[in-house]
């Protein structure tokens, strides 16, 4: 009577007998068929069901006591084409983040990308590349274009030629500025014509010993927000066309500040030729 | 004192380090197509891979493609304009955002 196996066999036999009787009288089966089905159910189906139920319950209740959330970041679009970013846990369904791709959200994703494993769902490659670029240069909101890019390029005497570079994990696009001497100066960024735009955000004429000097920016559009991926200062002086890229910290600043970084001197005290 | 820029060469007013090494040669900074050459009475110094020039009398910085600049007497650090290299940094970050296809 103290043997646990005795009680186990008793319970299993009672269960099989009860189920066989139920099947026999409910579905009008023969006693042998009903007992075979009952044995199969009790031995195979019930343990499997119990295992699944217990597993799910334990995972739901206990998983995050021992493991981190399984984060999933999903991109979606609303009716106006605005990009909505949602981050939740795949196991417990808790939502951590939901909203447009505003600078705080993008900065959070970029800053935690190295130390937080995530599954990027419905996340086009181009936007991943935009994030990688922003991880290197920072999250900088874009300015509105001040002049038509074609007009500015025409004044500089260059034409903009997109050149796609195929990498191992990524494709990059380089906008080459080609002038008469076939000298190329490149601004590179991830590939995707649809979400990228080259802008002239500041133009000055007849200053700094340059006939024309301007800031060109490559902007990624994550509606309703726009971010700067690359920023170069292009000018034409007596020696011809030149280009320099200031530090990303100065990309949201004006031309004077960017030139100050490039020349590493205070512009007010600079004499140029 | 003012700083002077001719093309991609910048003369920044500076003080001469005590341990700077004196060089007996003229200042010739290599440009993209031609050299920037300083003519006049001056002395060149080198310290920790930096070039200093002590101008005794007003000197002329010349380059075929630029206007000549007069450099007044003083001590200058000779530097080039700088540019931020972006491509190498971008390449390092690619794997982090490698997307999964669902």
């Amino acid at each position: 009577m103290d043997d646990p196996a005795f009680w186990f066999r008793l319970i299993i036999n009672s269960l099989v007998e009860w189920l066989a009787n139920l099947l026999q009288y409910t579905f009008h089966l023969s006693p042998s068929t009903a007992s075979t089905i009952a044995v199969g159910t009790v031995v195979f189906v019930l343990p499997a069901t119990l295992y699944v139920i217990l597993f799910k319950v334990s995972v739901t209740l206990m998983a995050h006591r021992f493991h981190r959330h399984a984060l999933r970041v999903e991109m979606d679009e609303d009716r106006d084409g605005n990009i909505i970013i949602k981050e939740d846990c795949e196991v417990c369904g808790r939502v951590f983040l939901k909203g447009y791709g505003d600078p705080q959200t993008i900065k959070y994703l970029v800053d935690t990308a190295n130390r937080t494993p995530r599954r990027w769902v419905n996340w086009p490659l181009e936007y991943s590349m935009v994030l990688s670029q922003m991880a290197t240069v920072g999250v900088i909101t874009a300015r509105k274009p001040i002049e038509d890019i074609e007009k500015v390029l025409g004044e500089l005497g260059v034409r903009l030629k997109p050149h796609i570079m195929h990498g191992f994990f990524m494709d990059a696009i380089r906008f080459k500025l080609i002038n008469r001497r076939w000298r190329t100066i490149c601004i590179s960024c991830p590939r995707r014509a649809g979400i990228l735009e080259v802008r002239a955000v500041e133009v000055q004429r007849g200053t700094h010993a340059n006939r024309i000097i301007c800031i060109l920016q490559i902007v990624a559009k994550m509606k309703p927000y726009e971010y700067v991926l690359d920023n170069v200062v292009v000018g034409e002086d007596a020696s011809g066309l030149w280009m320099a890229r200031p530090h990303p910290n100065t990309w949201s600043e004006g031309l004077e500040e960017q030139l100050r970084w490039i020349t590493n001197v205070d512009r007010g005290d600079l004499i140029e030729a | 004192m003012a700083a002077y820029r001719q093309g991609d060469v910048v003369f920044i007013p500076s003080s001469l380090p005590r341990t700077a090494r004196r060089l007996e040669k003229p200042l010739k900074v290599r440009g993209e197509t031609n050299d920037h050459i300083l003519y006049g009475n001056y002395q060149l110094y080198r310290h920790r891979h930096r070039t200093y020039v002590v101008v005794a009398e007003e000197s002329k910085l010349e380059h075929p493609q630029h206007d000549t600049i007069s450099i007044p007497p003083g001590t200058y650090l000779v530097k080039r304009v700088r540019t931020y290299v972006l491509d190498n940094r971008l390449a390092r970050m690619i794997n982090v955002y490698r997307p999964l296809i669902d």
Side-chain angles (χ1 to χ4, degrees):
Chain A
M1 292 292 279
D2 294 335
D3 185 13
F6 168 79
W7 291 104
F8 181 74
R9 277 199 299 273
L10 186 69
I11 290 168
I12 293 296
N13 285 341
S14 310
L15 203 60
V16 167
E17 196 176 338
W18 173 78
L19 197 60
N21 286 335
L22 190 71
L23 291 169
Q24 191 179 343
Y25 293 111
T26 309
F27 300 106
H28 304 291
L29 301 175
S30 65
S32 61
T33 311
S35 74
T36 307
I37 293 171
V39 167
T41 306
V42 169
V43 172
F44 297 107
V45 179
L46 276 182
T49 313
L50 274 173
Y51 174 77
V52 168
I53 290 168
L54 284 174
F55 179 76
K56 288 296 280 183
V57 167
S58 63
V59 161
T60 308
L61 292 178
M62 304 292 289
H64 299 314
R65 291 176 194 276
F66 305 110
H67 303 285
R68 286 186 297 181
H69 291 283
L71 294 178
R72 170 178 60 184
V73 188
E74 199 170 354
M75 180 183 278
D76 207 353
E77 282 189 12
D78 67 4
R79 276 180 293 179
D80 299 329
N82 295 327
I83 286 167
I84 297 168
I85 295 171
K86 180 185 169 189
E87 185 187 56
D88 61 354
C89 175
E90 282 187 282
V91 177
C92 68
R94 184 177 162 191
V95 178
F96 295 96
L97 186 76
K98 190 173 183 184
Y100 296 119
D102 55 279
Q104 288 83 6
T105 304
I106 298 294
K107 196 166 187 323
Y108 161 73
L109 289 176
V110 165
D111 288 351
T112 55
N114 274 321
R115 58 179 184 270
T116 310
R118 289 192 178 92
R119 207 160 71 86
W120 303 81
V121 182
N122 190 24
W123 195 275
L125 180 66
E126 298 79 24
Y127 286 98
S128 307
M129 295 303 117
V130 166
L131 281 195
S132 353
Q133 183 93 336
M134 278 198 270
T136 63
V137 301
V139 182
I140 305 161
T141 47
R143 284 182 275 173
K144 294 289 173 199
I146 197 164
E147 284 199 36
D148 180 36
I149 182 73
E150 292 299 328
K151 185 187 166 198
V152 174
L153 292 176
E155 281 188 54
L156 284 166
V158 298
R159 59 196 170 87
L160 198 65
K161 186 186 174 193
H163 171 69
I164 294 163
M165 302 165 62
H166 299 285
F168 191 68
F169 285 131
M170 68 167 283
D171 286 352
I173 192 166
R174 278 187 163 207
F175 289 97
K176 287 188 172 185
L177 299 173
I178 302 173
N179 68 350
R180 291 184 298 278
R181 289 158 57 196
W182 291 100
R183 194 173 64 167
T184 60
I185 46 183
C186 304
I187 31 183
S188 40
C189 63
R191 175 186 181 176
R192 166 104 175 201
I195 62 167
L196 295 180
E197 184 185 337
V198 182
R199 286 179 178 173
V201 294
E202 197 166 335
V203 183
Q204 285 184 11
R205 293 175 178 82
T207 57
H208 305 304
N210 287 274
R211 193 172 61 80
I212 179 171
I213 185 167
C214 63
I215 299 176
L216 298 185
Q217 285 186 342
I218 296 178
V219 170
K221 296 176 189 169
M222 296 181 81
K223 278 185 76 179
Y225 295 92
E226 294 173 336
Y227 299 101
V228 181
L229 297 186
D230 199 357
N231 175 110
V232 288
V233 178
V234 184
E236 195 189 18
D237 61 9
S239 63
L241 193 70
W242 62 272
M243 189 199 86
R245 180 183 288 108
H247 194 276
N249 290 350
T250 63
W251 287 5
S252 53
E253 308 283 344
L255 186 61
E256 291 298 326
E257 191 65 35
Q258 298 198 10
L259 284 171
R260 188 175 294 139
W261 189 89
I262 290 167
T263 54
N264 201 11
V265 290
D266 190 1
R267 300 290 302 175
D269 300 329
L270 186 66
I271 297 163
E272 297 178 304
Chain B
M1 280 178 78
Y4 296 84
R5 182 181 77 85
Q6 187 185 58
D8 55 354
V9 178
V10 190
F11 279 54
I12 301 169
S14 168
S15 57
L16 187 68
R18 283 183 189 175
T19 52
R21 188 163 46 92
R22 185 176 170 141
L23 300 177
E24 297 298 336
K25 59 180 184 181
L27 178 65
K28 195 183 277 188
V29 185
R30 188 167 292 170
E32 194 180 6
T33 50
N34 299 87
D35 293 345
H36 300 258
I37 304 170
L38 185 65
Y39 294 101
N41 184 7
Y42 63 87
Q43 183 59 53
L44 210 59
Y45 291 88
R46 192 97 172 133
H47 177 70
R48 291 184 180 173
H49 306 289
R50 287 183 167 191
T51 305
Y52 294 84
V53 60
V54 178
V55 179
E57 292 173 16
E58 189 167 278
S59 304
K60 305 277 185 194
L61 183 63
E62 293 190 359
H63 188 271
Q65 294 172 321
H66 295 277
D67 294 337
T68 301
I69 283 190
S70 294
I71 310 289
T75 305
Y76 299 91
L77 171 64
V78 182
K79 292 184 88 171
R80 282 176 179 278
V81 294
R82 52 183 176 172
T83 187
Y84 183 78
V85 181
L86 188 64
D87 295 0
N88 297 341
R89 294 177 60 83
L90 176 65
R92 278 186 237 140
M93 297 300 297
I94 301 307
N95 286 333
V96 176
Y97 296 97
R98 198 176 170 193
L100 296 170
I101 298 166
D102 280 2

